[in-house]
Amino acid sequence: IPDIICGDLDSIRPEVRVYYEKNGTKIIQNPDQYSSDLTKSLKCINNDPKSPMHVVIIGGIGGRFDQGFSQLHHLYTASKDSTLPNSQIFLVNPQSICFLLMKGMNRIAAPLGPGLFAENVGIIPIGRPSVITTKGLEWDVTDWYTEFGGQMSTSNHIKSHTIEIDTSERVLFTMELDRSRPE
């Protein structure tokens, strides 16, 4: 049972709302149609005294393509918006996890194996072009210019337990999840 449900609630069925309210969930309705339910939820989190924290969005980049792009858009804009949590936000679906890497040097723990990560990763420039240098991937690059509509690092492979990525701009980083079960 969630602590809070927030959004415009335009599609919540009355019996579902009553169920959660009876079970102690705080319902916060925000009728603003100029922001998404994801942004409304992030703003609710920002009002939580436990902030900053990691935010994991289960089902991220799933469903309709337009909603997936909206989630990437909000992931990108949230990193610049002071009204949203000062948190690392992760979008997770059954196949992969993605998150933003900030300008500068980023180190990512990348243990491979059942129930952890598979070898495939991507570094996708969103918002603006970037120059990246990588270490720990099969096809490392040095001072490599990347842009949407130009060259992008997709389908690269993890070759180290720690990946280093130095980037001149924020970029989206994706890692494939290993869905096999540990023995």
Side-chain angles (χ1 to χ4, degrees):
I1 302 287
D3 295 324
I4 300 171
I5 294 175
C6 74
D8 57 30
L9 307 179
D10 60 353
S11 59
I12 193 169
R13 294 190 319 268
E15 66 273 14
V16 171
R17 182 178 181 143
V18 168
Y19 170 83
Y20 283 107
E21 287 175 325
K22 283 184 179 178
N23 283 285
T25 299
K26 182 177 180 181
I27 307 289
I28 300 173
Q29 187 166 4
N30 180 342
D32 177 17
Q33 291 298 309
Y34 294 101
S35 65
S36 70
D37 284 340
L38 177 57
T39 299
K40 291 171 187 140
S41 295
L42 291 172
K43 287 183 179 185
C44 283
I45 290 169
N46 200 37
N47 292 329
D48 188 308
K50 296 178 225 149
S51 287
M53 65 186 93
H54 292 305
V55 177
V56 179
I57 300 170
I58 305 296
I61 315 297
R64 293 183 359 220
F65 285 122
D66 62 327
Q67 290 178 339
F69 278 108
S70 177
Q71 290 171 2
L72 292 174
H73 167 76
H74 288 88
L75 184 69
Y76 181 78
T77 58
S79 68
K80 302 186 303 184
D81 188 338
S82 62
T83 67
L84 298 177
N86 181 19
S87 306
Q88 180 72 54
I89 300 171
F90 300 90
L91 300 176
V92 180
N93 68 29
Q95 293 80 31
S96 61
I97 181 170
C98 69
F99 50 95
L100 279 185
L101 300 179
M102 296 300 147
K103 291 180 186 183
M105 178 59 73
N106 297 268
R107 288 181 181 79
I108 302 114
L112 298 177
L116 299 170
F117 298 108
E119 69 176 359
N120 295 307
V121 300
I123 305 166
I124 299 153
I126 57 174
R128 56 179 30 160
S130 183
V131 176
I132 62 172
T133 297
T134 66
K135 184 178 176 186
L137 300 176
E138 185 168 351
W139 298 287
D140 280 327
V141 295
T142 302
D143 295 329
W144 194 66
Y145 185 83
T146 178
E147 68 178 329
F148 209 83
Q151 7 181 51
M152 293 192 311
S153 178
T154 61
S155 302
N156 208 332
H157 298 152
I158 298 169
K159 291 298 174 190
S160 175
H161 290 292
T162 303
I163 301 167
E164 294 181 357
I165 301 171
D166 191 15
T167 177
S168 65
E169 297 293 333
R170 293 172 295 164
V171 293
L172 182 69
F173 185 70
T174 67
M175 299 175 75
E176 182 182 15
L177 299 175
D178 187 326
R179 297 171 50 184
S180 60
R181 297 197 178 264
E183 294 180 15

